Amino acid sequence: MRRSRRLLASTFLFSLPCSTPNAEVVLEPKHDFVEVNSMLKRSPLTATLIAGLSLLIASSFVAQAERSDIETVAANQGPATPKNSKSNSDPFYQQLRQQATNAEDFAAYVSVNNLALKRDAATFTLKSGELYFTLPIEGRVTAAVFIGAGELTLAPPTEAEKRSLELFTKQPGVMTEEFSTLVLRFTDRTFDEIKNSPNAKMGGSGGGQASRARDLFRDNQQLLRRQLHDNRELRTLADLYAPARPGFFNAFINGSRYNKLIYIMDPLGIPEVSPEEIALFSYGDSDGGIWTAFHAAPEYEQKTANGAEDHRVVDITRHEIDGTIKGTELTITDRLSFRVLAKSTRVLPFNLYRSLRVKRVTDEQGRELSFIQEDKDDDPDFGIIMAETLEEKKSYKITIEYAGADALHDSGGGNFILGPRSTWYPNNAGTQFGDRAIFDMTFRYPAKNIFVGTGAQVAPETRDGDSTVAKWSSGTTELAVAGFNYGRFKKKEIADKDSGYNLEFYANEEVPNEIKNIQAEIERRENRAPGQQQNVTGTTLGSVTTTGMAGVALAEAQNSARLYNAFFGKLPYTRIAMTQQPAGFFGQAWPTLVFMPYLAFIDSTQRSQLLGSRGGTDTFWKYVAPHEIAHQWWGHTIGWTSYRDQWMSEGFAEFSASLYVQLTRGNDKFIDFWEDHRKQITQSSPATRDRKPYTIGALTQGYRLSSGKTGAVYQSLIYPKGAYVLHMLRMMMYDQRTGDAQFKAMMKDLVQTHFNQDISTEDFKSIVEKHMTKEMDVEDNGRMDWFFKEWVEGIGMPSYRFDYQLAGNTLSGRVTQSGVPDNFIMLVPIYLDFGKGWIKLGSARMVGNATIDLGKLELPAPAKRAAICAMNDVLALSVENSGK
Ligand SMILES: [Zn+2]
């Protein structure tokens, strides 16, 4: 999921708990908007399409998708919201926004001679030149511009981060970059440090390049506002109101090779990689992404560098949301309760979708509060300035009123889609995904439509004139995120006693416009073929409907819920709703609420007619429901602490789908499922810029695996390799007599121990160590370090070969492991088939690149065949079984 994303809005991908094995779901990070149909925008699909009508239909689909993008842009050009006297009016804020508008700014300067500014792992050596400073605001200088000759050296503290940086720079270990200008923005002690340095000489006024410094700073303001959509002045203001904080440091580096680099050090965490405090970004087209990110150096020394670190300034405990929907216009009041976590907090940062415009903020005493929210096309970060500094640990309430017509999109025929999934309400900017809280929601909307919320309905709907009023609540369960689906739906439900959940299905009565347009085109062609048979296009799309899938969708939900209950235990929720959304190529799950791609709700014959043969055979639509339902456990009941832990949400959801495949479709499809996932991890494709995904980085790099250099590697690694990690553990724990008993006990323990909390990779590892088998203790220390180092933090990829002989009642053979680091350990399972399917005989413990001889094993009966990794038990580049 999602959060807060500040810099690099347009250049990198940020993924939510969702399922898109074959679609590249690209979230516009800053605006939290889900881009749909991106699969169709990529050419490979078109190339695979069968000739004729499919091509026609698919191309009209593409046109439609592109057209809808244009519409989105056009829809953004609404009338400007009238200015509120309390918005953007804070006097310090106004001074910050107006820096570099008068000649006194950047008039003061120093000459430097080998001045070294050390900021954690980076050193900026200003060899020669001049530094120009802004005027102080509230007694503090917060920006400087360097013009001259300098050099950056940067050495990340971990091997994985060195590797990540090297991917972009091709410089092993340490990066060095010459630069000619720097724009520095800071609230730390940078100014005092420079002023007091013996390597800096105070100049008088009128340094020769003051006006150039001002121009460079103005360019930087434009960059932040127009391109990166990041309100640095709001971030700066937060620290001006909290003078005791250590402050942040940003350097915008105009380097000789890379001129779009930003180095950030922020003790409050950097939104994109929170809770990490250090990062180097590029906003370039071909190398955009987070080159490296890590914790502050002292945290490595004190061994506190981990994802559980909490930088939130407040903890939001409750949202009381009162909303009205009229057309696509949302008018919302959110009464927010929060507890203060950080000392001397006065400015509260939120993530709120850019076109939801704040009208008024009041505190508990009814005082109208000053707030910041710039134009939606600039840097619209939302922040509230409290009337006074807040007391640590105390609880407060504020009321935020906002409205906008661009968050909800109308796709025609009563089909609506909510664009910003986690920022349609003010979300805590100090969190990556969301701040767990109680959500009470009351919504008013036209009576012809249906509103499906998160949590459960607390009272029957009531009528108020032409409107329906619905009340929803998460009860006593805090949710990481809340949302809703909305439209003209048909509802079906079953109370499943076996699983204990009420299962609901909502499909739209009419298809969205993109299907209607295709139907109209078909009709046109059929009517325009004089002398030809009717139904010249050979399609049945005229009759396409999604409501007919109710039975199938409910059965999928029922089977999934029962299966996951058995493996993982019960959810804190009473119901799960499968709802249709007018996006064909991605699904997403919120607590109790699953958004299904509408193309999963039409039959595969019609999907083939729309998309070519792939629409009928692709497993994405087949397995999207079990994947999304699994997110109720993985992602929601068990969340993740930082982006480095998100692999568990997507990986475990994908793993859960494999259980579903095994249960409903049998072992052969189960093995196919893993073979397909193995290929996703090991094979290069245009989507990964022809790189093999597993070589790019470890699971703990999270969404950062995707970048301008690597394409959509996140999708090709986090989902399938994250799933493989759990699959390998399950297979290691599988016992021929007790089956999955040990594995189930482990997973239930994980859910119970961390019920409705966010977990780190380390938390999961501890649970595995509690339940590991004796055989898994390969290092004889009761720990699973070896496994997590190799598969979660590492990028090693073994290959295997098994040469065996079956003679009478004996098996002999040799197992070879190759292509791995010397200390790479794995348990490689050996299977036999006595004529009734595979039976696990045991495992070979392989260390490094080696071959071991099994000797001569006596069998109870003659076997038909033998194999290693018969269930695709070990992720490998290749597994060869060669028997005689
Ligand atoms: Zn997912």
Side-chain angles (χ1 to χ4, degrees):
M1 263 136 17
R2 186 184 317 9
R3 313 94 352 226
S4 35
R5 43 230 75 104
R6 286 270 147 87
L7 297 170
L8 292 187
S10 55
T11 52
F12 78 108
L13 317 177
F14 210 128
S15 286
L16 298 176
C18 61
S19 169
T20 57
N22 66 355
E24 182 185 335
V25 164
V26 181
L27 292 182
E28 194 185 337
K30 175 71 164 198
H31 303 133
D32 191 21
F33 189 76
V34 182
E35 186 176 311
V36 296
N37 287 344
S38 52
M39 173 176 134
L40 282 174
K41 286 182 197 160
R42 293 206 309 259
S43 53
L45 176 85
T46 317
T48 66
L49 285 175
I50 54 169
L53 184 66
S54 293
L55 197 57
L56 156 82
I57 293 172
S59 60
S60 96
F61 231 128
V62 173
Q64 180 63 22
E66 278 160 7
R67 215 175 311 133
S68 72
D69 279 1
I70 294 163
E71 280 166 12
T72 305
V73 173
N76 285 343
Q77 314 299 325
T81 312
K83 289 278 178 247
N84 177 306
S85 63
K86 285 289 185 182
S87 74
N88 308 326
S89 61
D90 180 90
F92 297 141
Y93 178 74
Q94 287 195 338
Q95 287 179 52
L96 287 167
R97 289 297 274 195
Q98 277 148 29
Q99 280 175 323
T101 53
N102 69 64
E104 282 149 54
D105 262 337
F106 301 101
Y109 75 102
V110 296
S111 307
V112 292
N113 176 20
N114 283 321
L115 174 81
L117 279 177
K118 193 163 161 41
R119 291 291 178 274
D120 201 87
T123 302
F124 295 86
T125 305
L126 311 183
K127 294 176 183 169
S128 64
E130 289 160 353
L131 258 168
Y132 295 82
F133 297 98
T134 53
L135 290 172
I137 294 169
E138 180 62 346
R140 292 168 71 179
V141 174
T142 58
V145 175
F146 170 74
I147 301 170
E151 187 186 65
L152 161 71
T153 61
L154 173 60
T158 66
E159 284 313 307
E161 286 307 324
K162 286 191 170 95
R163 196 167 62 215
S164 172
L165 187 56
E166 188 181 341
L167 190 71
F168 294 93
T169 63
K170 300 204 165 57
Q171 298 176 337
V174 184
M175 171 191 184
T176 62
E177 174 73 355
E178 307 281 329
F179 54 80
S180 54
T181 66
L182 286 182
V183 174
L184 304 178
R185 286 170 173 260
F186 48 85
T187 52
D188 67 357
R189 301 194 50 82
T190 295
F191 177 69
D192 291 337
E193 186 184 329
I194 293 169
K195 195 178 65 181
N196 298 328
S197 166
N199 300 75
K201 219 171 75 211
M202 289 305 257
S205 61
Q209 306 201 69
S211 84
R212 190 173 163 220
R214 263 193 304 280
D215 287 345
L216 287 167
F217 191 79
R218 279 188 209 123
D219 291 347
N220 182 260
Q221 287 172 325
Q222 291 304 305
L223 171 74
L224 282 160
R225 293 171 195 179
R226 298 283 146 77
Q227 193 178 338
L228 303 178
H229 306 293
D230 175 276
N231 193 334
R232 276 293 93 182
E233 288 81 19
L234 172 59
R235 174 68 192 84
T236 306
L237 185 72
D239 282 359
L240 291 189
Y241 276 118
R245 283 186 191 161
F248 71 85
F249 174 86
N250 293 174
F252 298 80
I253 304 155
N254 180 21
S256 57
R257 277 168 304 173
Y258 313 110
N259 60 4
K260 292 180 174 170
L261 290 181
I262 309 172
Y263 180 77
I264 303 187
M265 182 172 166
D266 192 334
L268 290 182
I270 297 162
E272 288 84 350
V273 292
S274 185
E276 287 161 29
E277 297 91 355
I278 320 290
L280 180 74
F281 296 85
S282 165
Y283 56 92
D285 286 333
S286 61
D287 61 5
I290 301 169
W291 290 19
T292 182
F294 40 89
H295 289 276
E299 297 177 15
Y300 290 98
E301 285 154 29
Q302 294 151 23
K303 307 226 182 290
T304 57
N306 64 62
E309 201 181 355
D310 189 355
H311 287 308
R312 291 174 302 170
V313 294
V314 298
D315 172 16
I316 297 175
T317 51
R318 183 184 285 270
H319 293 266
E320 293 163 82
I321 292 171
D322 205 306
T324 301
I325 306 173
K326 231 183 224 165
T328 62
E329 174 90 22
L330 292 177
T331 306
I332 296 178
T333 299
D334 185 5
R335 191 154 178 256
L336 232 153
S337 307
F338 63 87
R339 188 167 165 271
V340 179
L341 300 178
K343 268 193 202 110
S344 62
T345 295
R346 178 132 176 229
V347 177
L348 306 180
F350 293 93
N351 292 328
L352 180 66
Y353 185 61
R354 62 189 179 133
S355 68
L356 291 170
R357 308 303 299 175
V358 178
K359 294 174 182 162
R360 213 167 103 99
V361 184
T362 46
D363 66 10
E364 258 174 301
Q365 292 80 43
R367 291 178 291 183
E368 207 171 323
L369 298 176
S370 180
F371 65 91
I372 308 296
Q373 189 188 36
E374 295 291 342
D375 190 86
K376 66 180 163 43
D377 297 322
D378 288 339
D379 47 346
D381 297 333
F382 173 48
I384 295 172
I385 302 151
M386 298 299 289
E388 52 267 322
T389 299
L390 302 177
E391 276 177 53
E392 207 183 343
K393 293 180 185 155
K394 217 182 132 185
S395 293
Y396 293 86
K397 279 191 173 128
I398 47 175
T399 302
I400 302 164
E401 296 164 51
Y402 60 98
D406 292 346
L408 195 62
H409 300 252
D410 185 347
S411 303
N415 291 260
F416 292 87
I417 187 163
L418 180 65
R421 293 298 174 89
S422 67
T423 58
W424 64 272
Y425 57 89
N427 213 326
N428 197 338
T431 54
Q432 281 250 315
F433 178 30
D435 191 338
R436 281 183 191 267
I438 305 284
F439 286 86
D440 296 322
M441 306 195 286
T442 301
F443 267 87
R444 261 171 209 80
Y445 49 91
K448 61 179 187 252
N449 291 333
I450 288 185
F451 177 97
V452 193
T454 41
Q457 235 173 313
V458 289
E461 286 148 7
T462 56
R463 283 295 285 270
D464 178 7
D466 291 340
S467 298
T468 297
V469 183
K471 286 182 188 294
W472 289 73
S473 174
S474 67
T476 54
T477 304
E478 293 204 321
L479 305 181
V481 67
F484 61 87
N485 201 343
Y486 170 74
R488 210 147 70 238
F489 291 125
K490 250 196 183 130
K491 179 185 179 183
K492 269 204 170 170
E493 63 188 318
I494 43 170
D496 185 38
K497 284 210 181 75
D498 191 280
S499 67
Y501 311 119
N502 198 60
L503 303 171
E504 303 161 14
F505 171 82
Y506 298 85
N508 292 82
E509 293 173 0
E510 284 179 43
V511 292
N513 283 345
E514 60 184 11
I515 293 289
K516 275 192 191 151
N517 292 343
I518 292 167
Q519 288 172 330
E521 176 65 13
I522 289 167
E523 217 162 280
R524 192 181 67 83
R525 295 206 169 209
E526 309 236 306
N527 294 338
R528 270 199 196 175
Q532 288 194 31
Q533 296 276 314
Q534 269 302 300
N535 199 13
V536 64
T537 59
T539 69
T540 57
L541 290 170
S543 65
V544 76
T545 168
T546 53
T547 52
M549 285 291 267
V552 174
L554 284 171
E556 283 176 345
Q558 202 167 12
N559 283 332
S560 304
R562 290 177 181 186
L563 178 65
Y564 303 157
N565 264 1
F567 269 81
F568 314 135
K570 278 213 68 177
L571 296 169
Y573 318 129
T574 55
R575 50 179 286 282
I576 303 171
M578 305 296 287
T579 70
Q580 175 181 338
Q581 64 176 359
F585 299 90
F586 87 97
Q588 195 173 47
W590 264 197
T592 73
L593 172 64
V594 175
F595 299 94
M596 289 285 286
Y598 75 88
L599 288 177
F601 284 170
I602 70 173
D603 72 46
S604 57
T605 309
Q606 289 175 326
R607 205 161 52 222
S608 301
Q609 291 168 2
L610 282 168
L611 303 171
S613 58
R614 194 176 169 184
T617 58
D618 200 296
T619 53
F620 168 70
W621 289 284
K622 231 172 233 149
Y623 302 146
V624 61
H627 176 104
E628 297 306 339
I629 292 165
H631 273 309
Q632 300 301 321
W633 282 262
W634 315 119
H636 296 309
T637 302
I638 299 295
W640 65 96
T641 52
S642 85
Y643 73 99
R644 293 190 187 271
D645 310 298
Q646 193 181 356
W647 67 271
M648 293 183 286
S649 170
E650 293 306 348
F652 291 11
E654 198 63 7
F655 166 86
S656 304
S658 86
L659 294 176
Y660 179 86
V661 171
Q662 193 177 27
L663 175 83
T664 61
R665 309 192 69 210
N667 262 345
D668 287 348
K669 291 285 183 209
F670 176 72
I671 291 167
D672 289 350
F673 177 96
W674 289 111
E675 180 58 15
D676 176 59
H677 282 63
R678 193 187 69 76
K679 284 182 182 152
Q680 289 178 36
I681 300 162
T682 55
Q683 294 182 354
S684 59
S685 71
T688 60
R689 306 270 195 278
D690 297 319
R691 290 163 191 264
K692 294 187 167 114
Y694 75 92
T695 62
I696 298 302
L699 288 176
T700 47
Q701 295 291 109
Y703 77 91
R704 287 177 45 208
L705 289 161
S706 291
S707 71
K709 270 249 188 298
T710 59
V713 168
Y714 168 82
Q715 297 288 342
S716 315
L717 205 68
I718 293 295
Y719 289 68
K721 195 180 175 190
Y724 244 108
V725 165
L726 198 54
H727 175 56
M728 290 191 281
L729 289 170
R730 178 191 177 204
M731 290 296 124
M732 280 194 270
M733 298 175 86
Y734 192 82
D735 184 285
Q736 207 60 53
R737 283 159 302 134
T738 58
D740 282 308
Q742 255 176 298
F743 177 74
K744 286 178 182 167
M746 173 175 88
M747 297 310 282
K748 284 180 177 166
D749 191 8
L750 175 67
V751 171
Q752 276 154 28
T753 305
H754 300 283
F755 200 66
N756 216 37
Q757 292 170 3
D758 300 334
I759 62 165
S760 66
T761 300
E762 198 59 35
D763 292 329
F764 173 55
K765 180 165 167 278
S766 303
I767 296 284
V768 177
E769 286 168 349
K770 203 169 137 193
H771 294 269
M772 66 200 277
T773 64
K774 235 178 142 171
E775 200 188 18
M776 288 157 77
D777 191 9
V778 299
E779 294 180 310
D780 250 343
N781 57 3
R783 300 184 55 96
M784 288 294 285
D785 296 343
W786 65 277
F787 182 85
F788 279 78
K789 264 186 200 135
E790 288 167 10
W791 296 109
V792 179
E793 293 148 31
I795 60 170
M797 185 62 66
S799 290
Y800 294 103
R801 190 178 166 81
F802 183 37
D803 295 290
Y804 70 90
Q805 297 84 41
L806 285 167
N809 282 13
T810 64
L811 164 73
S812 53
R814 292 147 60 86
V815 181
T816 302
Q817 175 173 275
S818 62
V820 292
D822 285 344
N823 52 0
F824 191 96
I825 309 172
M826 196 56 201
L827 298 173
V828 179
I830 300 166
Y831 287 84
L832 286 167
D833 180 3
F834 294 97
K836 287 181 180 171
W838 293 113
I839 289 175
K840 188 172 160 186
L841 181 69
S843 296
R845 180 162 137 181
M846 305 299 302
V847 182
N849 298 291
T851 298
I852 60 167
D853 199 317
L854 299 179
K856 202 174 208 174
L857 301 170
E858 292 292 329
L859 307 178
K864 289 179 71 177
R865 54 183 181 152
I868 55 169
C869 310
M871 309 299 281
N872 267 322
D873 316 46
V874 181
L875 175 58
L877 213 48
S878 69
V879 176
E880 286 176 75
N881 288 298
S882 167
K884 273 192 245 159

